[in-house]
Amino acid sequence: MDREQQILSFIRRNPFVSQQELADAIGISRSAVAGYVAALTRKGSIRGRAYVLAEEGSVLCIGGANLDSKARGKQPLRLGASNPVAVAESCGGVARNIAANLAALSARVSLLTAVGDDKAGGWLLERTASQGVDIGPSLVLSGEKTGSYTAILGEDGELFIAFADMDIYERITPDTLEEKWPHIAASKLVVADANLPAASLAWLARRCGDANLPLFVDPISPEKAKKLPDRLDGIAAVFPNLAEARQLAGRGDDEPPADGGVAEWAELARLILARGAGHVLITLGKHGAYCAGPDGELHLPALPVKVVDVTGAGDAFLAGVAYGVLRGEAFADACRSGLAAARIALETASSSSEQLNEERLAEAVRAAKI
């Protein structure tokens, strides 16, 4: 056993062991131990103080954690008028929802987000931790306001309009990510959302690409998709919906919104792949998903479902795909897991489905025969 493995073995038994205790146990100088520890930290094998060990198969989600408010219409919505609605509040945020879904699927997952030192921020982190997510990498910023997302849903559960207050995520800068690099490098997979500043998304793509660390990116909206760098090299997979895919493909805001079907989906995917992305997985609502990458292209139809609430379905899809990839599945098979996870999410009113687990996901895949 080499020195690094000896040190890791002692740290596994006691994460709070001192460098002097390691030196005495192994029979080398304390300064030599410090050198080995620094090397292990750079590699991502241990993370920061107290020697936080990298866990095999772990995921780090970076981005939004919001207070979600959803108002669902009790009748068809009318602009310029008072509409009767039912209002519910819950934890939200793309990165947070994906992390919670992955934890529900028994993945080892951490969250790097930014919240204010307010009641909403404390509640978000406490609730997220209770769902099995490691919130250790997250930032609590004094004097800042926790992000919020307010969605207005039609009586059919479809999104009518939404409002987002996300300024706090501008604080997750490249310098912040550099400080958190040991946490990032210790992961097997990184998931980021476009709540991050453009400079931070570019930094992540570059560093993850250099480290051969798979990076999944959710563009969130056509406007936020503009934050992604011109070249998408270093991004293993990008997960746009149709409107976001049109933006990423350079179609522009003035293009006609009509859905061109498989021919359009294929063209959009190829244009995004040409920007350097490893894989493109376009979510298409009732039309399912279109997956493209080095191994080819595939359209998978949506699964039959009685929609309760569309909010969070895309997050569940990405989590399902990540779950499949972590299990060694090809992207086409992982995409099937993503559709099954999205179906489960669509059947509930929660942004991160409390009904999602490994057994139910497997049952949904088998039942759908996808």
Side-chain angles (χ1 to χ4, degrees):
M1 183 182 297
D2 63 25
R3 294 295 194 207
E4 288 187 356
Q5 291 304 312
Q6 280 184 292
I7 290 171
L8 283 175
S9 178
F10 279 105
I11 291 173
R12 286 190 181 97
R13 292 198 293 268
N14 177 14
F16 297 96
V17 64
S18 70
Q19 290 187 359
Q20 188 58 59
E21 288 171 325
L22 286 170
D24 294 341
I26 297 171
I28 58 177
S29 67
R30 191 202 61 78
S31 61
V33 168
Y36 285 118
V37 167
L40 288 165
T41 301
R42 286 194 299 272
K43 292 177 181 178
S45 297
I46 60 177
R47 303 189 290 190
R49 292 179 296 177
Y51 307 125
V52 181
L53 291 171
E55 295 182 289
E56 183 179 356
S58 62
V59 184
L60 177 63
C61 297
I62 310 175
N66 319 316
L67 178 63
D68 274 6
S69 297
K70 299 177 188 176
R72 180 166 178 164
K74 295 182 178 180
Q75 61 189 40
L77 297 175
R78 296 179 58 191
L79 291 174
S82 177
N83 292 272
V85 297
V87 179
E89 288 189 338
S90 63
C91 294
V94 171
R96 196 219 74 88
N97 289 346
I98 293 168
N101 283 322
L102 282 166
L105 292 170
S106 301
R108 290 183 288 270
V109 58
S110 301
L111 176 66
L112 170 50
T113 190
V115 299
D117 59 345
D118 49 22
K119 183 177 179 180
W123 179 72
L124 274 169
L125 292 183
E126 181 181 355
R127 173 61 179 155
T128 302
S130 74
Q131 292 176 292
V133 178
D134 173 16
I135 60 169
S138 292
L139 309 172
V140 179
L141 303 178
S142 177
E144 296 283 352
K145 181 182 177 183
T146 296
S148 64
Y149 174 83
T150 303
I152 311 300
L153 308 175
E155 59 180 342
D156 59 357
E158 293 289 338
L159 180 65
F160 180 73
I161 194 170
F163 306 94
D165 181 356
M166 309 288 184
D167 291 347
I168 192 171
Y169 305 125
E170 295 299 316
R171 297 286 298 275
I172 307 178
T173 63
D175 286 343
T176 300
L177 295 175
E178 182 67 55
E179 292 175 5
K180 298 290 184 178
W181 178 248
H183 288 272
I184 300 170
S187 306
K188 185 175 182 180
L189 171 66
V190 177
V191 177
D193 70 38
N195 282 312
L196 297 177
S200 297
L201 289 167
W203 186 95
L204 269 177
R206 182 177 66 256
R207 286 297 300 270
C208 289
D210 290 345
N212 293 316
L213 178 58
L215 171 65
F216 289 2
V217 174
D218 188 325
I220 298 183
S221 71
E223 187 61 30
K224 291 185 178 181
K226 297 176 183 178
K227 295 183 183 181
L228 271 66
D230 291 338
R231 292 295 305 172
L232 303 178
D233 306 272
I235 297 177
V238 61
F239 292 74
N241 63 21
L242 184 56
E244 294 154 9
R246 287 171 174 155
Q247 178 63 52
L248 290 172
R251 287 294 181 85
D253 298 329
D254 298 327
E255 293 289 331
D259 184 356
V262 174
E264 184 195 9
W265 307 335
E267 181 185 6
L268 293 174
R270 290 167 192 155
L271 288 170
I272 298 169
L273 288 172
R275 288 180 60 180
H279 295 81
V280 179
L281 296 93
I282 305 174
T283 53
L284 300 164
K286 64 182 181 180
H287 297 300
Y290 193 86
C291 310
D295 297 329
E297 303 177 7
L298 176 68
H299 172 233
L300 291 171
L303 307 183
V305 61
K306 183 178 180 180
V307 176
V308 173
D309 184 346
V310 299
T311 310
D315 305 337
F317 175 81
L318 195 157
V321 173
Y323 171 79
V325 169
L326 288 169
R327 287 164 52 89
E329 295 177 0
F331 267 87
D333 293 325
C335 191
R336 293 179 171 89
S337 296
L339 285 174
R343 177 186 180 180
I344 294 169
L346 286 166
E347 294 174 338
T348 70
S350 174
S351 295
S352 55
S353 176
E354 296 177 357
Q355 305 300 317
L356 185 62
N357 57 53
E358 287 186 284
E359 183 178 357
R360 185 165 183 191
L361 182 65
E363 290 175 356
V365 172
R366 288 194 299 268
K369 297 180 180 178
I370 53 177

